[in-house]
C-alpha cells in the first residue's frame, strides 16, 4: 500500500523543478503555459501568476484530455507547462498526472508565496 509521501516521491522523481527566476523569464513566452492547480478560494486570497490558467488539481484529468468535453484547449502537449500550487506538492502530483497523459515538458515552480516573494508577476 502507498502513502501520500510515496506518491509525492514518485511525482518529484519525474517532474523537474524549475527555479522561479528561470520561470519568470518565460512569463511572456507563447510556448509556455503557467498553471495554478489550487482551489479557486485559495487563488482568490493570494492572486496567481500573471496569465496563469486556473484549473484545480481535482479537474486536471478532464481539462487535459483532448477527448473530453471539459478539455481546456490552452493545454497543448507541445507547450511547456509550469505548475504552481500552495507549497509545491499539488503541483508535483499534477505534473506526474500530466506526464502520464503524454505531456512531456512539465515543470514544478513550487509555491505561490515563493513566487510572490521573489517578485514574480502576478494578477
Amino acid at each position: 500500500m502507498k502513502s501520500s509521501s510515496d506518491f509525492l516521491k514518485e511525482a518529484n522523481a519525474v517532474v523537474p523543478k524549475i527555479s522561479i527566476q528561470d520561470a519568470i523569464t518565460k512569463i511572456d513566452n507563447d510556448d509556455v503555459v503557467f498553471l495554478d492547480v489550487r482551489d479557486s478560494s485559495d487563488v482568490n486570497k493570494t492572486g496567481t501568476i500573471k496569465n496563469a490558467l486556473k484549473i484545480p488539481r481535482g479537474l486536471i484529468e478532464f481539462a487535459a484530455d483532448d477527448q473530453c468535453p471539459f478539455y481546456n484547449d490552452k493545454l497543448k502537449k507541445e507547450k511547456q507547462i509550469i505548475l504552481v500550487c500552495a507549497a509545491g506538492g499539488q503541483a508535483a502530483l499534477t505534473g506526474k498526472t500530466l506526464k502520464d497523459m503524454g505531456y512531456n515538458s512539465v515543470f514544478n515552480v513550487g509555491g505561490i508565496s515563493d513566487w510572490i516573494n521573489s517578485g514574480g508577476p502576478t494578477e
Side-chain angles (χ1 to χ4, degrees):
M1 185 164 69
K2 289 185 179 181
S3 68
S4 59
S5 62
D6 292 329
F7 284 107
L8 195 54
K9 184 177 179 181
E10 289 176 7
N12 283 323
V14 298
V15 181
K17 294 283 257 174
I18 185 171
S19 76
I20 292 171
Q21 294 310 315
D22 285 346
I24 288 172
T25 67
K26 300 172 183 286
I27 199 76
D28 291 318
N29 185 331
D30 291 337
D31 293 323
V32 178
V33 174
F34 285 84
L35 174 56
D36 192 326
V37 298
R38 297 175 297 147
D39 290 330
S40 60
S41 62
D42 291 332
V43 172
N44 290 339
K45 289 177 191 172
T46 63
T48 191
I49 295 173
K50 175 185 162 191
N51 298 325
L53 291 179
K54 298 168 240 5
I55 303 171
R57 180 174 174 254
L59 298 177
I60 198 63
E61 289 87 346
F62 304 105
D65 180 355
D66 63 3
Q67 300 302 304
C68 180
F70 302 107
Y71 174 63
N72 186 315
D73 65 358
K74 292 181 180 157
L75 290 175
K76 301 284 187 197
K77 290 184 177 161
E78 64 272 8
K79 300 241 180 190
Q80 188 176 90
I81 311 290
I82 299 177
L83 299 154
V84 67
C85 65
Q90 287 184 15
L93 294 167
T94 302
K96 182 172 184 316
T97 297
L98 290 173
K99 294 276 233 170
D100 290 346
M101 293 180 76
Y103 288 79
N104 294 313
S105 188
V106 181
F107 298 89
N108 181 354
V109 77
I112 191 66
S113 61
D114 292 333
W115 178 270
I116 291 168
N117 293 336
S118 295
T122 60
E123 59 182 33

